Amino acid sequence: MRSLRARLLLITSLLLAGALAVVGAILDSSVRAALDEEQRELLDSQIITLLAVAEPDEGERLRLPYDLPDQRFNTPDSGFYAKVRDRSGAFLWRSVSAVDLTFTPDTPLPGPGERVFARSVTSTGDVLLTLTLGIIWTFEDGSERYFALSAAESERAIIGPLKKFRGRMFAVFALVAGVLLVGMGLVLSWLLRPLGQIAAEIADLETGVRTSLSDHYPSELSGVARNLNTLMKSEQRRTSRYQQTLANLAHSLKTPLAAAKALLDDGTTKPELQAQMQRMEQIVRYQLARPAIGTGRTVGNRTLIEPEITQILGALDKVYREKGVYAEIDLEHDMVFPGDRGDLVEMLGNLLDNAYKWTTHRVLVVGRKVAHATGSVIELSVEDDGAGFPEEAAAAALKRGTRLDETVPGTGIGLAIVAELVEQYEGKVAIERSRLNGARVVITLPLS
């Protein structure tokens, strides 16, 4: 749930950053355009002032006073400049502030009555915003002459306010983004709380702490919780029916087993009786396996593995007392099987019985929990130091009814039952060569 909240916050942060970047760019462009327009109006008023103080002289030129009304024109390198050019572009007059400067490239000459707003660069590298007005001056003798009056101001005049605006905008946007992200985090925590609750309750179901989900969920999740509860109740009823079937089957077998025992006591031919008992064992194991194979993984079932292995080994030590089998367990003490205890006993019982049956002296049981990219799994392996499986017969040994050695008692369905059970748990079975030079059967089961 934390990872989901983190992903949602990350996506929200990226979207918010993108939106603020677009809004910031628009605002910055708008403010820059407004400052340029304000600068244009200021320069236009300066040109009107220049026209007001300009006077013609005897050489059909415009004469402007040395001391202009705006003192910035009278201060060298003040960032405020004025100039007058003729039609050829030659300078006829410059303000005191622009006496030692050249302009590259210079602003173009507009037509009479036209205004041109452009940028130019001074010889000192200062960028200027320049407004140029083209005029036709009529002298007293009736002659007319073209002049271009320019007023310019350094871009530094608007860079300062623009930087202040950008700094304030960044601070405001950062504050807004922080507030929105905190608010989104709180809202997501509130909205995802029911999902966290249902995840926690499902975890309790898996560990057996709970038997059903609670009913206190928003309308969006109440249907999910209700359907899960219905599914679990249906599964519990089905498991109960399987258990009842097993009980009925055990009861129905009492009579034929009693009759078989009586035949043994009466001295009936032993080979015939052994065949009948073997046939009965095969039927019993098949019928008992059918309900178990149908269940698979069930919610809330967790079984410790080590106690079951210890109990099975104790029973097998008594059955195979004459062989003197030495069994070792290499297992994590808290390792659990993600399913029904009966399924675990059925799998381990068949694997260990086969190992005891075929071993010469030694059996090794190993269990590990392994983490993969797709999730954690448990690996259980049973090894022996017997003859092992021929490579070409390993796959056939997992098929029902296959017996690789007719001289050894058995029904040929033990490994098949294990394979079918493991398949129900979405696991895998592999037959390999043991480190003890015998057989090694490995079952891999996902933990979730």
Side-chain angles (χ1 to χ4, degrees), residues 20 27 165-180:
L20 290 179
L27 286 177
F165 168 76
R166 287 172 177 170
R168 292 173 182 174
M169 181 177 65
F170 179 80
V172 171
F173 278 11
L175 178 62
V176 170
V179 172
L180 287 177

Side-chain angles (χ1 to χ4, degrees), residues 4-46:
L4 175 60
R5 185 185 298 110
R7 288 197 299 271
L8 289 175
L9 280 176
L10 176 60
I11 293 172
T12 303
S13 301
L14 294 176
L15 292 175
L16 181 59
L20 290 179
V22 172
V23 172
I26 294 173
L27 286 177
D28 186 78
S29 177
S30 300
V31 170
R32 181 62 184 262
L35 289 174
D36 284 348
E37 183 62 27
E38 181 181 350
Q39 192 73 9
R40 187 194 303 266
E41 293 176 358
L42 174 64
L43 294 176
D44 190 64
S45 67
Q46 294 294 338

